[in-house]
Structures are given as structure tokens and as C-alpha cells.
Amino acid sequence: MDLKEKVALVTGGAQGIGEAIARELANQGADLAVADVNLEKVEATAKMLAAETGKQVLPLKMDVSNFAEVEEGIKKIIDKYSHLDILVNNAGVTRDGLLMRMSEQDWDLVLTINLKGTFNCIKAVTRSMMKQRKGRIVNIASVVGLTGNAGQANYSASKAGVIGLTKTAAKELAARNITVNAIAPGFIKTKMTEALSDEVKDNLKKLIPLGSLGEAEDVARAVAFLASDEAAYITGQVLAVDGGMVMH
């Protein structure tokens, strides 16, 4: 998967799965823009990735729910690199709780960042990708967008929305050689899952045919494939990276 001379933007790239995706894309040869709401954190990550990979890494403070801020970030990328080839919509939040107790604020926040944020970023890159007649967009959804999950009405709805948005964008942009796909991670080892008790982790593993939680790198490698020329004939698809947990 040769991504040399490609430029990639990873949102929510300061830590966790986003950081792993950014590192993988850089290791495959891409120059990067890494965006996050926390400027200090994203600057530290950008510095570390540049030192590790020898690639150019542009840190951006970006609230994906704010279209003007997203547009400004895209402009900075084009100014620096002259083009943008790959967009990875990874920024997202959770505010879990049972539906009957979920506040309107928690519903709105998750939908605004996870779904509207993905729309904002796709909309902002479309003009430049259409002009260059090529592009790769990879949206990070979730298996709960396919199955639902008790206590995650807002998150499940946002990720199901991302899947619908992926398919529509794929149909609209295909004529300009822009592919749009989604990855639906299952249970991946992150700081969030590290906090779970061993008993909860063991119960989770029983749901997964491959018998273990995934690594952030498993998601990152799938993103790199969908972002590459090797995936040129794949669009509008949802790839579950979940150890076989959801088969559909």
C-alpha cells in the first residue's frame, strides 16, 4: 500500500485509534494533517509522528462540529501541501446512558460531533477532491451502528447515520473517482476499554469469535487499505473490523 506523495487528514488524530491511523498512513508514505479539538495534544502528537516517520505532519485545532473551522483547516492543508487526497473521519465522542434518562444535551452533542462533524468534513473536502478528480474518504463508524447497543442510543444513532451518509456520498462522488467507505470497529483496546474489569473483558471476548479485543492498529491497517490505490474499485462499503462479532 504505497501512499507516497499522498496527503491525508485524520480528524480526532491526537490519541487512540486516530493516532494509530495517522501513524499507519505516514508509515505507508503519506504526509499528514492531524486535527483535534485540543491544540496542545495535537501539536505533541504531530511532533512525535513527524520524528517517528520522517513525514511532514501539520497539526490543526479543529472542532468538526463547526463548519467554518473545518473549512479553515482544509484551506491550511491545501495552502501547505497544494492538495488533499485522503480524509479519515475519526473524531467522535460518547455520552452513554439509558434512553429514558438520556439528556437532550447528551443526545445533541453526540449527534453533532459524530454525524454532523462527518458531514462537515466531507462537504469541506469535496470541492478540491472533485477538481482533482480523485480522492479517498474513510469514515469511522462502529458495529453498534449496525446492531444497536443498550445504553448507547445517541452513539448508535450517530454511527448508523454515518453509514447512511457514507453510502449516499459514495453514490454522489463516484463519477469523480472519489471513493467513500466506512469502517465499523468492534471492541478495540483503548484507554476506555482498559478501564473495564477483567470480568467484563472476559464476557466481551465470549461475544467475539476470534476470542480477543482488537488493536488500534487493526483498524489503522484497514483504513490504509481503503485509502490506497489497491482499493480503487471499492466504494459505499462498511467493513467491520471486529473479530467476527457482527456478521451481516
Side-chain angles (χ1 to χ4, degrees):
M1 293 180 290
D2 182 4
L3 301 178
K4 283 187 188 72
E5 296 178 17
K6 298 282 201 297
V7 176
L9 165 61
V10 182
T11 69
Q15 61 187 354
I17 290 172
E19 183 192 317
I21 291 167
R23 179 178 290 105
E24 181 67 25
L25 296 178
N27 282 335
Q28 300 295 346
D31 287 315
L32 294 175
V34 181
D36 205 273
V37 283
N38 186 323
L39 181 61
E40 206 174 291
K41 203 175 268 188
V42 79
E43 283 180 338
T45 300
K47 199 173 175 183
M48 177 184 69
L49 290 173
E52 267 183 39
T53 64
K55 302 303 293 183
Q56 294 186 79
V57 186
L58 173 67
L60 294 170
K61 183 188 183 301
M62 188 189 285
D63 173 1
V64 294
S65 69
N66 181 326
F67 183 71
E69 216 169 286
V70 172
E71 213 169 25
E72 181 60 29
I74 301 303
K75 185 177 181 302
K76 284 178 183 170
I77 296 166
I78 304 291
D79 286 348
K80 180 176 173 63
Y81 295 117
S82 82
H83 58 106
L84 176 61
D85 308 286
I86 299 160
L87 165 65
V88 183
N89 284 306
N90 169 73
V93 295
T94 55
R95 292 292 185 276
D96 295 349
L98 292 175
L99 187 58
M100 63 183 291
R101 295 198 197 109
M102 185 174 288
S103 70
E104 190 180 348
Q105 289 87 345
D106 283 351
W107 172 271
D108 287 348
L109 177 74
V110 171
L111 269 289
T112 299
I113 292 172
N114 296 7
L115 182 53
K116 186 188 174 193
T118 300
F119 161 78
N120 283 344
C121 293
I122 293 173
K123 183 175 165 67
V125 303
T126 298
R127 192 180 301 277
S128 66
M129 284 188 177
M130 286 177 82
K131 201 189 275 185
Q132 68 196 19
R133 291 188 164 270
K134 61 178 180 179
R136 296 278 183 272
I137 298 171
V138 184
N139 300 322
I140 305 302
S142 168
V143 291
V144 304
L146 296 166
T147 64
N149 195 30
Q152 288 195 306
N154 48 6
Y155 189 74
S156 298
S158 73
K159 294 303 189 178
V162 166
I163 289 169
L165 175 60
T166 298
K167 294 181 177 189
T168 296
K171 287 185 174 178
E172 290 187 11
L173 300 175
R176 293 298 178 104
N177 197 31
I178 300 164
T179 66
V180 189
N181 292 289
I183 287 181
F187 289 108
I188 305 296
K189 287 179 197 166
T190 59
K191 280 182 183 162
M192 202 162 57
T193 54
E194 274 170 26
L196 300 173
S197 69
D198 288 343
E199 186 187 355
V200 170
K201 283 185 203 166
D202 287 342
N203 286 334
L204 283 179
K205 286 173 189 174
K206 286 173 190 164
L207 302 173
I208 303 167
L210 286 179
S212 65
L213 273 62
E215 303 284 349
E217 290 72 24
D218 294 320
V219 178
R221 284 189 286 269
V223 171
F225 168 65
L226 290 174
S228 71
D229 290 342
E230 282 80 357
Y233 201 56
I234 300 171
T235 197
Q237 301 304 306
V238 183
L239 174 59
V241 180
D242 65 353
M245 194 174 83
V246 177
M247 299 192 192
H248 63 98

